[in-house]
Amino acid sequence: MPNRLINETSPYLLQHAHNPVDWYPWGEEAFRRAREEDKPILLSIGYSACHWCHVMERECFENPEIARLMNENFVNIKVDREERPDVDAIYMQAVQAMTGSGGWPLTVFLTPDGEPFFGGTYFPPEDRHGLPAFPRVLLAIADAYRNRRGDIVRQAQQLVDQLRRVTTVRSAPEPLTTELLHQAFLDFRSRADPEFGGFGPQPKFPQPFVWEFLLRYWHRTGIDEALALVETTLEAMARGGIYDHLGGGFHRYSTDRVWLVPHFEKMLYDNALLVRLYLHAYQATGRPLYRRVVEETVEYLLREMRSPEGGFYSAQDADSEGVEGKFYVWDRHEIMETLGDELGQAFCRYYGVTEQGNFEGRNVLHVPRSARAVAEELGIAVERLEELLAEGRRRLLAVRQRRVPPGRDEKVLTNWNGLALEALAEAACVLARPDYREAAEACARFLLERAQAGGRLMHSYKDGQARVPGYLDDYACLIGGLLALHEATFDTVWLREAARLATEMLSLFWDDAESVFYDTGHDHEALVVRPRELFDNATPSGNSAAVAALLRLGALSGDSRCTDVAQRALRGVRDLMLRAPSAMANWLCALDFYLSSPREIAIVGQRDDPATDALLAVVYRRYLPNKVVAGLPPDQRPVEDFALLQGRTMLQGRPTAYVCQNYACRQPVTSPEELEAQLSTPEP
């Protein structure tokens, strides 16, 4: 018999719908039963692409005896962390406070009022590797709840008080200066791996916000060492096994120092953020490698992660057929049999394929040597080698597509789709790809039409249902994507929608008294604390994403409230940027924008006019991180309250560019050469 999760839409919850555990989804029904029966709550949080979540399910939640202990002693709630990031954030902080670490699966024990009193992550079915057996934990917690209730209630209340204190911020009296940027650079430089990029030995995560910041710092200061740190990391990742050399896209992280063996899950947010990072590196350096990574990763997203309705799915599992990485790895004989001698030899040498393998007897494709070195060894021209490799990739991808694929989480999350929308729209501009622009437009239409309920932006969509009121990062990431889409299309509807969502965002989430955003709106379900995440992680915190979006909106519109709110939020985290820059890297990017004099570029002309394209090519061929671009077809009226477009017309019937900076505008120009000269002027 299925449990209550059978009525959910989350793929992760549906994976547990046939467990013998009497699971409840998060909601009042579960808490009411816990109060009526005076039972503690066992809260289990995970996500569909989580390898150890699957392990704990197989070992514990599918075990009838363990399920009996859970059902007799607890009210059991299962949560998809991607669907309910607010719930996850609160109880992850609680477990970290109790144990000093966290992760998924997250296992937390709560009072019937939702207050946490004990927790951990993965528990095995029997004592193993220093971890207590899950049945032993269950019995101990049940006994403590029955016989030491007073201690548990006091511990839970103390922990909740601590969680409330964590969300408090105080505006720093010191000014926001470029010294904060310099100190962050010194911190990143001191900890970076100079040989293989990234930070630390292992595991290594991509951390795109850090490299985005260092690109910006190089652009601001001209310090080549900052660019070198970025290039070392980007090249190592692009050559390593963390990158999918056949299908494009990046896996979640590397298990080793050299980016060779990944944890094989693929996440939408990683790939969206890395598209933008490699795109910016391409603008900064012109290196073809970075452009190729962008195009292959976008092709992966369009091929494997796009829904028929235009949105993008959330993730692909690490496992297939119950084995981690099985879909992606290769035996040498399989490659040789598929490709033949000449092509197979070239392919195996270039991608480091050996008989013994580099991952459990099989091979993760990677690029240990340059194409020139391999071509010389084979006695062929580099161009010939590249032809062979392209053919080899094509054939092996076709073979791989016939394998049993990893599971795919097909819910569409607004925040992650906002990141994908921004990446697609920006790539469309930089690479002059109309197909990317069309995909971005379809994504935006989907989000604005389907990820809505009762006039409110929603967080998650699947099977025709939009669920969970949108969080701060849903609004902020979508605003960022819509602003980028306006640049790609000149369609003023996207500007209007961005402005509308920003007004809603300020109304729902901004705390004017404390000068910071909450993650949940004032209309959201009340939890034990109202979550307020400040630190950037694999995705930007809602606060930093909101600040970045408001700074851009303020520059486009001239609305002083946008800039004022952003400035107050930045002051509130000034000390955190100084103390923990790696956890505040997207904040640092926003601070770099705030401390700059952004180029404000307006272009009037038909978007499909080659003369307009010529002006835009000048704008996008260079790396200008602190700029805003607005476009206006000559037959459209400018959007109200967007000062950058007011009074702009074409000169002599030709597409015209207007460049403003530091409260002053340059002479409007109509030729690419004139625009080039204006944008080549050093920033003040």
Side-chain angles (χ1 to χ4, degrees), residues 471-491:
Y471 300 101
L472 173 62
D473 60 348
D474 292 312
Y475 279 80
C477 293
L478 181 51
I479 291 167
L482 292 172
L483 293 178
L485 184 56
H486 168 73
E487 291 188 28
T489 62
F490 286 13
D491 192 334

Side-chain angles (χ1 to χ4, degrees), residues 5-22:
L5 301 184
I6 197 67
N7 298 316
E8 297 297 302
T9 60
S10 159
Y12 175 68
L13 298 185
L14 290 170
Q15 288 168 5
H16 293 77
H18 294 277
N19 294 163
V21 177
D22 186 14

Side-chain angles (χ1 to χ4, degrees), residues 273-490:
L273 292 169
L274 288 168
V275 163
R276 292 191 69 217
L277 174 59
Y278 276 87
L279 189 69
H280 297 158
Y282 172 66
Q283 288 177 297
T285 67
R287 291 190 60 187
L289 170 65
Y290 300 151
R291 176 174 184 145
R292 178 171 64 80
V293 168
V294 169
E295 292 180 326
E296 290 177 354
T297 303
V298 171
E299 291 307 312
Y300 153 71
L301 292 174
L302 297 178
R303 182 183 67 247
E304 297 188 32
M305 297 295 282
R306 183 165 55 163
S307 77
E309 296 167 289
F312 288 86
Y313 299 134
S314 296
Q316 289 174 314
D317 286 358
D319 303 1
S320 54
E321 300 181 79
V323 179
E324 184 176 7
K326 184 175 182 180
F327 183 74
Y328 298 101
V329 297
W330 296 86
D331 295 320
R332 188 177 189 278
H333 74 83
E334 184 181 10
I335 292 175
M336 295 300 296
E337 188 176 88
T338 302
L339 301 184
D341 187 60
E342 180 192 15
L343 184 50
Q345 291 288 353
F347 191 93
C348 288
R349 291 199 188 190
Y350 183 73
Y351 286 109
V353 176
T354 64
E355 290 289 348
Q356 63 270 26
N358 53 36
F359 174 68
E360 299 178 356
R362 306 189 76 192
N363 290 275
V364 177
L365 301 183
H366 67 298
V367 182
R369 294 181 297 161
S370 70
R372 185 170 302 280
V374 174
E376 288 178 359
E377 187 177 292
L378 293 171
I380 60 177
V382 172
E383 293 76 14
R384 174 58 180 160
L385 175 63
E386 290 174 345
E387 290 174 1
L388 291 172
L389 295 175
E391 176 63 16
R393 289 193 299 268
R394 185 189 67 78
R395 291 192 198 177
L396 290 179
L397 180 62
V399 170
R400 196 177 80 176
Q401 294 297 87
R402 296 196 290 270
R403 296 176 176 176
V404 176
R408 183 172 63 188
D409 187 329
E410 295 188 353
K411 67 178 178 293
V412 177
L413 299 176
T414 300
N415 52 348
W416 298 1
N417 270 256
L419 298 175
L421 169 59
E422 186 168 10
L424 282 169
E426 196 169 345
C429 293
V430 174
L431 305 182
R433 292 289 300 260
D435 52 336
Y436 295 178
R437 183 176 70 235
E438 291 167 6
E441 289 179 288
C443 180
R445 285 193 297 270
F446 168 82
L447 293 172
L448 293 173
E449 293 170 6
R450 308 300 297 275
Q452 303 269 347
R456 177 75 151 79
L457 185 67
M458 304 299 278
H459 173 62
S460 179
Y461 175 92
K462 188 173 185 295
D463 297 338
Q465 297 182 50
R467 299 166 61 95
V468 187
Y471 300 101
L472 173 62
D473 60 348
D474 292 312
Y475 279 80
C477 293
L478 181 51
I479 291 167
L482 292 172
L483 293 178
L485 184 56
H486 168 73
E487 291 188 28
T489 62
F490 286 13

Side-chain angles (χ1 to χ4, degrees), residues 83-137:
E83 189 173 67
R84 291 301 304 263
D86 53 336
V87 173
D88 176 63
I90 291 169
Y91 295 108
M92 179 63 75
Q93 283 188 342
V95 169
Q96 289 171 335
M98 286 186 278
T99 69
S101 62
W104 299 278
L106 189 67
T107 308
V108 198
F109 295 89
L110 320 177
T111 69
D113 293 325
E115 297 180 335
F117 61 87
F118 182 79
T121 54
Y122 162 79
F123 289 102
E126 64 278 324
D127 292 345
R128 184 192 302 160
H129 304 306
L131 295 172
F134 196 44
R136 191 152 62 88
V137 171

Side-chain angles (χ1 to χ4, degrees), residues 24-277:
Y24 283 78
W26 181 273
E28 176 55 28
E29 182 184 4
F31 285 93
R32 183 171 58 249
R33 180 185 164 196
R35 290 191 295 268
E36 290 172 351
E37 299 184 10
D38 192 23
K39 283 184 176 180
I41 289 168
L42 192 165
L43 173 63
S44 176
I45 304 177
Y47 59 102
S48 70
C50 168
H51 172 70
W52 286 102
C53 298
H54 297 320
V55 173
M56 191 166 178
E57 180 191 15
R58 288 195 301 269
E59 293 180 340
C60 296
F61 303 147
E62 292 180 353
N63 182 307
E65 179 58 25
I66 293 176
R68 182 187 64 78
L69 291 175
M70 294 171 65
N71 295 337
E72 289 178 359
N73 294 285
F74 302 93
V75 174
N76 304 288
I77 298 178
K78 176 61 77 170
V79 165
D80 180 342
R81 68 169 292 258
E82 296 167 355
E83 189 173 67
R84 291 301 304 263
D86 53 336
V87 173
D88 176 63
I90 291 169
Y91 295 108
M92 179 63 75
Q93 283 188 342
V95 169
Q96 289 171 335
M98 286 186 278
T99 69
S101 62
W104 299 278
L106 189 67
T107 308
V108 198
F109 295 89
L110 320 177
T111 69
D113 293 325
E115 297 180 335
F117 61 87
F118 182 79
T121 54
Y122 162 79
F123 289 102
E126 64 278 324
D127 292 345
R128 184 192 302 160
H129 304 306
L131 295 172
F134 196 44
R136 191 152 62 88
V137 171
L138 295 172
L139 292 172
I141 295 296
D143 178 73
Y145 190 80
R146 283 192 299 268
N147 300 312
R148 298 195 305 279
R149 180 74 57 86
D151 293 340
I152 281 178
V153 170
R154 280 191 297 274
Q155 179 176 332
Q157 290 173 345
Q158 289 171 0
L159 189 54
V160 170
D161 289 342
Q162 181 178 345
L163 294 176
R164 289 181 178 136
R165 288 193 297 272
V166 167
T167 65
T168 302
V169 298
R170 293 179 177 85
S171 183
E174 297 85 359
L176 297 167
T177 68
T178 57
E179 181 61 19
L180 291 167
L181 307 179
H182 181 61
Q183 290 301 319
F185 164 67
L186 294 178
D187 178 85
F188 295 142
R189 184 180 67 179
S190 70
R191 296 188 298 105
D193 182 338
E195 187 176 1
F196 298 108
F199 296 99
Q202 69 271 337
K204 278 186 174 176
F205 289 81
Q207 296 184 271
F209 302 125
V210 171
W211 313 114
E212 290 277 12
F213 166 75
L214 287 171
L215 267 180
R216 285 173 165 270
Y217 188 77
W218 163 76
H219 181 265
R220 170 180 287 273
T221 65
I223 295 175
D224 288 336
E225 188 177 4
L227 179 61
L229 291 172
V230 176
E231 290 220 72
T232 298
T233 299
L234 266 58
E235 181 161 350
M237 288 198 302
R239 293 166 65 93
I242 191 174
Y243 184 67
D244 181 352
H245 293 275
L246 295 186
F250 288 86
H251 299 291
R252 181 70 193 93
Y253 64 86
S254 173
T255 62
D256 51 58
R257 181 188 173 199
V258 299
W259 307 98
L260 172 58
V261 177
H263 184 52
F264 289 91
E265 65 194 43
K266 284 183 174 181
M267 312 300 294
L268 175 62
Y269 57 78
D270 281 326
N271 285 284
L273 292 169
L274 288 168
V275 163
R276 292 191 69 217
L277 174 59

